[in-house]
Amino acid sequence: MIEIYLFVNPIGSICLETETKLLDFIANSDKKIQFRVIPLVNMQTIHQVMKRRGIDARDIDARNKLFTDTYSAALDCKAVQLQGKKIGRKFMMRLQQAVACEQIPYSQELVCAIIDEVGADLEMFLEDRPSAFVKEMFQNDQDTARDMGITQHPSEVVYNFSSHRDYGVLLEGAACISDLPKLCQSDAYRLPLFQLASHVAKPKKQQL
């Protein structure tokens, strides 16, 4: 069995592209793969997004707006995820498409429209979204990212249990998806490609 953790920007176009490629790979693979997508939000990733978009790092208003929108979007995703992982992933990808690709400003009106569009329960979302449990789920995700040494998105951690190792391999950046087929081979850890890859311990189970 293979486990994949993908850490993403919940309103980022590059991460959307990576998610799409990863889902295509999983759909066409004969391997048993468990996939978890995790929104990652911290000041380091916000700084990276600003740099990528050419936003002046001294622009405090732009930084605060980007952080607020990204954090809020992450909580939205966690709230929808309570209705199922697949619907949660569908919601996140549609939100990324709207904000990052279609340039629609992030807003709660947009969020509610997308919830209706993907077939999620809006009333349930509005009840779950402000809950402490959703914030706890988000914080658990950030703790997992910290424990795995994640510093950017997209980042991917892959555990290939057919290799009889109890650690994963960390791949960073949008190009990392191209290495996934090799990493999913049963002898992946003997490939020269991964001799310099970061080893990541198995994360602690989160009580959700």
Side-chain angles (χ1 to χ4, degrees):
M1 187 183 74
I2 296 167
E3 287 187 5
I4 300 174
Y5 292 73
L6 180 64
F7 297 86
V8 302
N9 177 354
I11 51 175
S13 60
I14 295 175
C15 291
L16 172 61
E17 182 178 354
T18 302
E19 291 163 52
T20 301
K21 290 180 179 178
L22 180 51
L23 288 171
D24 287 344
F25 171 78
I26 293 173
N28 292 293
S29 175
D30 58 357
K31 307 286 186 180
K32 183 179 180 181
I33 300 175
Q34 292 186 356
F35 171 50
R36 182 179 173 191
V37 58
I38 299 176
L40 176 65
V41 187
N42 57 47
M43 295 312 299
Q44 184 173 0
T45 58
I46 293 298
H47 176 74
Q48 291 167 357
V49 171
M50 292 180 68
K51 184 177 180 180
R52 187 180 301 135
R53 295 181 182 177
I55 301 173
D56 190 338
R58 296 167 295 182
D59 190 335
I60 303 302
D61 290 339
R63 180 185 297 273
N64 289 342
K65 179 67 164 59
L66 181 59
F67 180 86
T68 299
D69 287 353
T70 309
Y71 173 68
S72 183
L75 294 182
D76 295 334
C77 293
K78 300 310 295 183
V80 177
Q81 196 177 80
L82 290 175
Q83 300 182 36
K85 290 183 179 179
K86 288 186 178 180
I87 195 87
R89 189 159 58 234
K90 187 176 181 181
F91 167 81
M92 178 186 288
M93 294 178 74
R94 182 63 188 97
L95 183 63
Q96 290 167 322
Q97 175 72 29
V99 175
C101 301
E102 300 171 13
Q103 300 297 304
I104 301 174
Y106 171 84
S107 68
Q108 285 305 297
E109 290 76 16
L110 174 64
V111 168
C112 291
I114 293 176
I115 286 173
D116 282 335
E117 180 181 332
V118 301
D121 187 317
L122 179 58
E123 183 177 353
M124 185 181 298
F125 169 81
L126 293 175
E127 181 178 341
D128 291 335
R129 175 62 171 77
S131 69
F133 183 58
V134 165
K135 292 181 180 179
E136 180 183 351
M137 291 173 62
F138 168 80
Q139 188 56 54
N140 285 341
D141 283 347
Q142 309 317 296
D143 292 343
T144 296
R146 185 193 63 237
D147 292 344
M148 289 183 171
I150 306 301
T151 60
Q152 62 178 283
H153 45 48
S155 287
E156 187 178 337
V157 176
V158 182
Y159 295 90
N160 185 344
F161 295 103
S162 64
S163 67
H164 306 292
R165 302 292 179 90
D166 60 356
Y167 56 78
V169 171
L170 168 62
L171 302 172
E172 298 179 307
C176 69
I177 191 69
S178 64
D179 293 331
L180 186 59
K182 295 177 183 178
L183 188 54
C184 288
Q185 296 175 15
S186 59
D187 61 348
Y189 289 96
R190 292 194 292 272
L191 294 175
L193 174 65
F194 300 106
Q195 287 179 355
L196 298 179
S198 300
H199 291 173
V200 181
K202 194 72 177 72
K204 299 176 181 178
K205 294 294 184 181
Q206 302 287 358
Q207 299 298 322
L208 300 180

